[in-house]
Amino acid sequence: MEQIFSANDQIAMLNRQRLNAAGVFSINLMASPGAGKTSFILRTIEGLKNILRLGVVEGDTAPVTIDSDLILAAGMPAVQINTGGDCHLDAVMLKEGLNQLPLNDLDLVIVENVGNLVCPASFKLGTHLNVLVASIPEGDDKPYKYPAMYRGVDVLVINKMDLLPYIPFKMDYFLQGVQILNPGVISFPVSCATGDGISKWCHWLIAQRNHFIGHGD
């Protein structure tokens, strides 16, 4: 296992160097199935329209292009990666995905990882930020059940906030679990259905990208 992770990390470092050389900021977007990753990406594209040029790498366990077709329809380049049943993307897969994107024409690359709260936490890709999308319908116990995922992310997006009045979700209990694992992690409560909170997220993302351009990796 150490050899596998070591080889993956070396390629992840090369991916990072390649992104840096192209001046492209990147995020690894992770979540469980149905949390709203693709909807969140589409809202982000809408919020950054005419501000940043985006490209998207979509990871799925099956040979389908449903998500990438949605991104292409939104006017942004997208690459679909079929993991062949693997429950995560790894650095080699991202390397191949980057080969198919016009990096020199992009400002931001969003990698939508496979829907899973276990495997993606273990494999570095070479992106600049790890972002987790949690959603209200998943329940408030997820930080306690999947500590490795919540411990390792830079940003937490809490999606489907519009459903909070209708679902027995204890926000205090959820956030307590998050803070135990990842003290001070920045979080954005949003609703992709209504658009609430997306503007704040987009402004923050623009600032992070500008900081990256000004200071390098």
Side-chain angles (χ1 to χ4, degrees), residues 55-205:
V56 179
V57 176
E58 293 281 352
D60 270 305
T61 58
V64 295
T65 61
I66 296 171
D67 292 340
S68 59
D69 288 343
L70 290 171
I71 304 302
L72 291 169
M76 298 296 172
V79 176
Q80 190 83 33
I81 295 179
N82 173 20
T83 68
D86 287 349
C87 58
H88 61 273
L89 291 175
D90 61 25
V92 175
M93 296 177 194
L94 180 57
K95 177 184 176 183
E96 296 304 316
L98 295 178
N99 287 338
Q100 301 178 55
L101 285 176
L103 290 183
N104 292 330
D105 298 324
L106 300 178
D107 302 308
L108 172 67
V109 167
I110 300 177
V111 180
E112 181 176 347
N113 217 313
V114 177
N116 192 310
L117 290 180
V118 180
C119 305
S122 300
F123 287 84
K124 295 179 181 179
L125 301 181
T127 54
H128 297 91
L129 288 177
N130 289 321
V131 179
L132 173 63
V133 179
S135 68
I136 299 301
E138 292 175 66
D140 50 27
D141 58 357
K142 289 301 177 287
Y144 304 92
K145 290 185 175 181
Y146 301 95
M149 175 61 75
Y150 279 82
R151 186 182 293 117
V153 297
D154 304 297
V155 182
L156 173 64
V157 175
I158 309 173
N159 189 24
K160 305 188 181 182
M161 289 293 293
D162 53 300
L163 298 181
L164 192 57
Y166 312 105
I167 293 176
F169 184 99
K170 298 177 182 177
M171 186 62 74
D172 289 345
Y173 177 68
F174 174 79
L175 292 177
Q176 181 183 26
V178 171
Q179 289 301 316
I180 290 171
L181 296 168
N182 201 334
V185 65
I186 187 168
S187 61
F188 294 92
V190 306
S191 168
C192 290
T194 66
D196 288 347
I198 298 295
S199 177
K200 184 177 180 181
W201 152 253
C202 287
H203 280 98
W204 182 86
L205 190 55

